[in-house]
């Protein structure tokens, strides 16, 4: 089936994409890379000083962008509850030592998808993933879907209403991408379980 994953056995999967699907997915992943931003050193052109990267500390505050805050949530405290100074301090300390690694992993996952799609040569085709690549794709698809969900202000209660948006609604293209990413995620999980 075009556009959804199928099992390739041994925890792997195969995805048939037409040219438009590959282009959309690649564009979304490139935008994800831009949202996440470069790693320590800022230019992203090289590995930089590995020792400095090992001891680099991340931010202590949650990102202001709601999509980034969803991708990099606080580890402690109730996001919907009152601000607890102790929880906020613990979350800041946890973030300081974990966010850079989490950002790097999310960047690597998105880059893995982009490179696989670039391997199609700008056309549609078959993407074959081994078990490790499936996990990278699963992470990248999840990040995209979470980000679009925040941008669309999706809640569990109104997700069903996304299917009923009129074609004239400006959110319709993003909603279609959000729903497609959900179907991709579900089909990838089923293919992995195979």
């Amino acid at each position: 089936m075009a556009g959804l994953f199928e099992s390739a056995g041994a925890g792997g999967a195969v995805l048939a994409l037409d040219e438009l699907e590959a282009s959309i997915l690649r564009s979304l992943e490139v935008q994800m890379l831009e949202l996440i931003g470069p790693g320590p050193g800022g230019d992203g052109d090289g590995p930089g000083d590995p020792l400095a990267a090992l001891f680099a500390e991340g931010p202590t505050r949650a990102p202001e962008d709601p999509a980034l805050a969803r991708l990099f949530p606080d580890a402690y405290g109730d996001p919907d509850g009152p601000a607890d100074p102790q929880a906020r301090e613990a979350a800041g300390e946890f973030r300081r030592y974990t966010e850079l690694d989490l950002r790097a992993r999310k960047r690597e996952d998105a880059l893995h998808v982009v490179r696989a799609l670039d391997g199609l040569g700008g056309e549609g085709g078959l993407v074959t993933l081994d078990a490790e690549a499936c996990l990278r794709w699963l992470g990248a698809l999840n990040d995209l879907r979470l980000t679009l969900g925040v941008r669309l202000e999706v809640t569990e209660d109104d997700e069903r209403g996304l299917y009923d948006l009129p074609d004239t609604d400006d959110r319709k293209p993003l909603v279609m991408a959000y729903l497609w990413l959900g179907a991709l995620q579900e089909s990838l999980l089923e293919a992995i379980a195979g």
Side-chain angles (χ1 to χ4, degrees):
M1 176 186 309
L4 295 178
F5 286 95
E6 294 181 8
S7 177
V14 176
L15 175 64
L17 292 172
D18 65 29
E19 186 176 345
L20 180 60
E21 291 168 329
S23 174
I24 290 169
L25 189 53
R26 186 185 187 288
S27 174
L28 289 170
E29 288 296 353
V30 168
Q31 290 176 56
M32 177 59 64
L33 287 166
E34 291 170 359
L35 178 67
I36 293 170
D43 60 13
D45 287 339
D49 181 359
L51 186 59
L54 182 63
F55 291 103
E57 292 183 4
T60 58
R61 293 178 166 225
E64 290 184 21
D65 182 318
L68 285 174
R70 182 70 173 102
L71 293 174
F72 307 105
D74 279 337
Y76 303 104
D78 180 4
D80 298 324
D84 175 8
Q86 287 180 319
R88 187 176 20 238
E89 184 178 337
E93 281 299 299
F94 186 81
R95 180 180 299 282
R96 175 182 302 177
Y97 298 110
T98 60
E99 186 171 315
L100 292 179
D101 288 339
L102 185 56
R103 280 182 184 264
R105 196 201 80 223
K106 290 180 180 301
R107 253 191 314 278
E108 290 167 11
D109 289 348
L111 275 170
H112 187 85
V113 173
V114 168
R115 288 180 181 134
L117 296 171
D118 284 349
L120 298 177
E123 300 176 8
L126 204 59
V127 177
T128 303
L129 308 174
D130 61 17
E132 181 184 340
C134 283
L135 296 179
R136 288 189 171 277
W137 275 66
L138 195 57
L141 292 172
N142 187 60
D143 291 342
L144 283 176
R145 193 157 188 269
L146 286 174
T147 300
L148 285 177
V150 169
R151 297 290 191 235
L152 292 167
E153 299 177 349
V154 174
T155 65
E156 288 181 32
D157 297 335
D158 72 357
E159 185 170 319
R160 192 75 207 143
L162 295 177
Y163 291 94
D164 300 326
L165 280 180
D167 290 340
T168 57
D169 193 307
D170 291 341
R171 299 174 298 160
K172 187 74 172 197
L174 287 180
V175 167
M176 297 302 293
Y178 175 82
L179 296 173
W180 178 53
L181 291 169
L184 279 175
Q185 268 187 291
E186 186 176 342
S187 68
L188 181 53
L189 285 169
E190 290 171 0
I192 291 170

